[in-house]
């Protein structure tokens, strides 16, 4: 095909006139080329017969394997440090582990203390020896194991390496302040901080009802018995709220802070706030420290209170009648973690997890709740 333009229709061509040079331009041409079509050549099917192989499954990590791996790493690190000990600078002393063995000893008063060789573990604020109550030998053993897994003294400066030591020191500081033996009023500050979480409690923030804009196919593709996120949140929250309003805070009303169609959190009734504030103010030092750790980890005061009461040695009289009346399992780490992360589990079940993000947060949440159980439980 050949297209051409004339001088009359082409606006960019010069017209001849007097005393002006005339430029001759070749007409515009457009050429279209086509190739010979070729048919697709199908590839032969694989020779293997039968269904495809199943996807590989990751090996389940065992706690014993992690401990042994940490010990091997500590031994290798110690050998390397010993080889260059004579060439170390004075400022690198924190990179060494100055203790070899960790022991738990009992004082004449019955308290448990953790010793690094001959040095007792001290509270970071008061610099006094950190005593563990006589009814908490498991907590003292866990703190000793925590220090035995450290490979350098520098790791002891970071709280995420010694979570049990930090929460035990927090409880010990509260106990000293209650007796007037240390300055400050950490109890009142903690009560004020914890009450803020009641207005934005994770357990009481319910998703809106299903609307026409929801991705129905994506939701139905996940095996959730065709239940919406709101229905799952209500199903998990109601038993916890019922337990709290029956055994811990009887006679009060706990309302959802985010109900269907609302975007602004609603405050609880003043009577409810007064009762909960009084209950928190009357907790013991170890229960108060455990409640703070659970609230900061799960962003839910209701779930934290349920977990503390379930495992605290001071609330054993509350749980014994319930255990005899019903054979339901105890409210533990998995139940608390599920109640605090329903929306995250819903989204990751639909879209998938982000490696080194969701999986790490999931395990860290369970680690924090485990430290709460150790700090409030006892043998008495």
């Amino acid at each position: 095909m050949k297209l051409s333009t004339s001088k009359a229709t082409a606006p960019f061509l010069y017209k001849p006139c007097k005393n002006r040079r005339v430029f001759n331009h070749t007409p515009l041409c457009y050429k279209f080329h086509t190739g010979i079509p070729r048919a697709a050549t199908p590839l032969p099917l694989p020779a293997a017969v039968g269904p495809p192989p199943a996807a590989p499954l990751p090996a389940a990590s065992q706690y014993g394997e992690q401990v042994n791996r940490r010990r091997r790493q500590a031994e290798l690190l110690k050998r390397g440090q010993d080889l260059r000990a004579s060439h170390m600078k004075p400022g690198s002393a924190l990179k060494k582990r100055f203790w070899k063995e960790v022991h738990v000893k009992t004082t004449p008063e019955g308290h448990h203390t953790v010793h690094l060789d001959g040095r007792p573990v001290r509270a970071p604020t008061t610099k006094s020896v950190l005593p563990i109550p006589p009814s908490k030998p498991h907590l003292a053993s866990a703190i000793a194991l925590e220090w035995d897994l450290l490979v350098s003294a520098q790791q002891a400066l970071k709280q995420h390496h010694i979570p049990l030591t930090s929460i035990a020191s927090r409880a010990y500081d509260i106990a000293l302040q209650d007796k007037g033996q240390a300055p400050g009023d950490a109890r009142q500050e903690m009560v004020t901080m914890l009450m803020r979480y009641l207005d934005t409690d994770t357990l009481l923030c319910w998703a809106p009802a299903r609307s026409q804009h929801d991705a129905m196919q994506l939701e139905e593709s996940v095996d959730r018995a065709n239940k919406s996120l709101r229905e799952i949140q209500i199903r998990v929250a109601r038993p916890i709220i019922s337990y709290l309003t029956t055994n811990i805070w009887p006679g009060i009303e706990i309302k959802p802070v985010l109900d269907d169609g609302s975007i602004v959190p609603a405050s609880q009734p003043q009577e409810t706030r007064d009762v909960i504030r009084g209950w928190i103010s009357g907790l013991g030092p170890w229960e108060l420290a455990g409640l703070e750790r659970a609230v900061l980890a799960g962003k839910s005061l209701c779930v934290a209170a349920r977990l503390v009461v379930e495992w605290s040695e001071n609330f054993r009289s509350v749980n014994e009648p319930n255990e005899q009346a019903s054979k339901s399992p105890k409210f533990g780490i998995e139940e608390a973690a599920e109640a605090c992360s329903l929306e995250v589990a819903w989204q990751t079940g639909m879209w998938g997890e982000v490696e080194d993000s969701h999986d790490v947060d999931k395990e860290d949440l369970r680690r924090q709740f485990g430290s709460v159980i150790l700090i409030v439980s006892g043998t008495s």
Side-chain angles (χ1 to χ4, degrees), residues 21-178:
R21 182 177 297 177
V22 178
F23 298 92
N24 294 325
H25 294 272
T26 58
L28 297 177
C29 298
Y30 299 94
K31 297 181 180 180
F32 297 95
H33 300 276
T34 58
I36 301 175
R38 297 180 181 180
T41 303
L43 298 176
L45 295 175
V49 181
L57 298 176
S61 59
Q62 300 294 332
Y63 179 72
E65 297 178 359
Q66 297 179 1
V67 173
N68 294 332
R69 185 173 65 254
R70 287 288 186 89
R71 290 185 183 276
R72 291 194 298 267
Q73 292 176 354
E75 293 176 359
L76 294 176
L77 181 61
K78 185 178 182 303
R79 291 177 185 177
Q81 290 176 347
D82 292 341
L83 290 176
R84 58 177 184 271
S86 59
H87 304 285
M88 291 181 64
K89 299 179 181 179
S92 59
L94 289 177
K95 297 181 180 179
K96 295 181 62 178
R97 171 172 165 163
F98 58 83
W99 66 93
K100 293 183 179 180
E101 296 181 357
V102 183
H103 305 279
V104 177
K105 298 182 180 180
T106 305
T107 62
E109 295 80 9
H111 292 85
H112 306 286
T113 56
V114 180
H115 291 257
L116 311 178
D117 293 338
R119 304 178 180 88
V121 175
R122 299 178 179 272
T125 54
T126 59
K127 305 301 180 183
S128 58
V129 179
L130 179 61
I132 306 300
S135 61
K136 302 180 185 297
H138 301 298
L139 176 61
S141 301
I143 292 176
L145 178 61
E146 191 175 70
W147 283 86
D148 195 25
L149 293 177
L150 298 181
V151 297
S152 66
Q154 190 174 11
Q155 290 184 343
L157 302 177
K158 302 177 180 179
Q159 292 187 1
H160 63 273
H161 284 296
I162 50 172
L164 293 175
T165 306
S166 62
I167 191 175
S169 301
R170 179 70 163 170
Y172 181 58
D173 293 341
I174 298 173
L176 292 180
Q177 293 178 6
D178 291 344

Side-chain angles (χ1 to χ4, degrees), residues 291-360:
L291 183 69
E292 180 190 34
R293 173 66 63 85
V295 170
L296 294 178
K299 307 300 183 293
S300 173
L301 179 60
C302 295
V303 175
R306 179 71 176 89
L307 184 67
V308 168
V309 172
E310 182 72 26
W311 292 93
S312 174
E313 57 182 344
N314 295 329
F315 290 94
R316 190 163 297 172
S317 60
V318 177
N319 296 318
E320 286 179 354
N322 297 326
E323 293 176 357
Q324 296 175 0
S326 63
K327 298 182 180 180
S328 59
K330 299 189 69 173
F331 189 83
I333 298 175
E334 292 298 329
E335 290 77 11
E338 178 189 5
C340 292
S341 56
L342 286 175
E343 187 172 358
V344 176
W346 174 271
Q347 297 292 343
T348 55
M350 185 183 301
W351 306 105
E353 291 185 351
V354 178
E355 188 177 0
D356 293 336
S357 177
H358 291 110
D359 52 350
V360 175

Side-chain angles (χ1 to χ4, degrees), residues 208-219 228-229 346 350:
R210 182 179 294 175
S211 64
Q212 59 180 355
H213 304 290
D214 293 337
M216 298 294 296
Q217 295 180 353
L218 290 175
E219 292 186 0
S228 64
L229 174 59
W346 174 271
M350 185 183 301

